[in-house]
Amino acid sequence: CTLETRGVMNEVVNNLRQFFNGTSYHLANRNCNHFTETLATALLMGDRLIDGNPQPLDKYPKWVNRLAKTGTSFGLDHGDVCNAWLEAQIATGADKRVSHDLSTSSSSRNISQTTKSSSKKKKELTEKQKAVLAKLKKSKG
């Protein structure tokens, strides 16, 4: 499914403004090529953005941002590196929609993984909690 209407296009561009504005520009991490990749991902991937499995655009040339990605790999990132897939999801509202195939939904995978990992971890008391517990035991004893 592709986004076709002018209203949807305007909505996507307006939503991308939160990521691409005058103060967020960075030569290596958030430049005009990042914007075009994110916009193209939003427009061309459509409903495929819902499942949360990042897939690069087949037709988007890899060389376009090669220099910027090289700079980022050398530590020129300043913490705000463009994630075209995630930002396209947010721009289209796909991050708030549910996948049609619930068995492959990233949110169901994340919930089951979180449940499994949290059940394996043994919770430990902080020093402050241990001190309060010790006081309670002394007062009862």
Side-chain angles (χ1 to χ4, degrees), residues 130-140:
K130 288 178 185 178
V132 171
L133 185 59
K135 283 182 183 180
L136 287 172
K137 286 182 180 180
K138 284 182 184 179
S139 67
K140 288 185 178 183

Side-chain angles (χ1 to χ4, degrees), residues 51-53 102-114:
D51 70 10
N53 295 320
L102 296 177
S103 65
T104 61
S105 165
S106 65
S107 58
S108 64
R109 278 194 308 274
N110 290 343
I111 290 169
S112 65
Q113 288 173 352
T114 302

Side-chain angles (χ1 to χ4, degrees), residues 1 3-4 8 14 18 20-21 25 28-29 39 41 43-44 48 50 52 62 68-69 79 93 95-96 106 120 129 131:
C1 174
L3 304 175
E4 297 173 357
V8 173
N14 281 329
Q18 67 183 308
F20 298 94
N21 57 56
Y25 181 86
N29 307 320
L39 180 62
T41 300
L43 297 177
L44 296 173
R48 289 177 280 181
I50 297 171
K62 294 181 182 188
K69 289 177 182 176
D95 61 321
K96 296 176 182 152
S106 65
K120 291 179 183 177
Q129 291 170 327

Side-chain angles (χ1 to χ4, degrees), residues 112-124:
S112 65
Q113 288 173 352
T114 302
T115 305
K116 287 177 187 175
S117 64
S118 63
S119 64
K120 291 179 183 177
K121 293 180 184 176
K122 184 178 178 181
K123 295 184 180 179
E124 293 185 28

Side-chain angles (χ1 to χ4, degrees), residues 27-28 31-37 59-70:
L27 183 62
N31 60 42
C32 57
N33 295 320
H34 290 104
F35 174 79
T36 59
E37 182 180 7
K59 306 265 183 204
Y60 196 82
K62 294 181 182 188
W63 58 265
V64 169
N65 247 352
R66 187 173 293 146
L67 182 60
K69 289 177 182 176
T70 301

Side-chain angles (χ1 to χ4, degrees), residues 66-83:
R66 187 173 293 146
L67 182 60
K69 289 177 182 176
T70 301
T72 300
S73 69
F74 285 118
L76 301 174
D77 62 359
H78 299 289
D80 187 25
V81 179
C82 177
N83 181 333

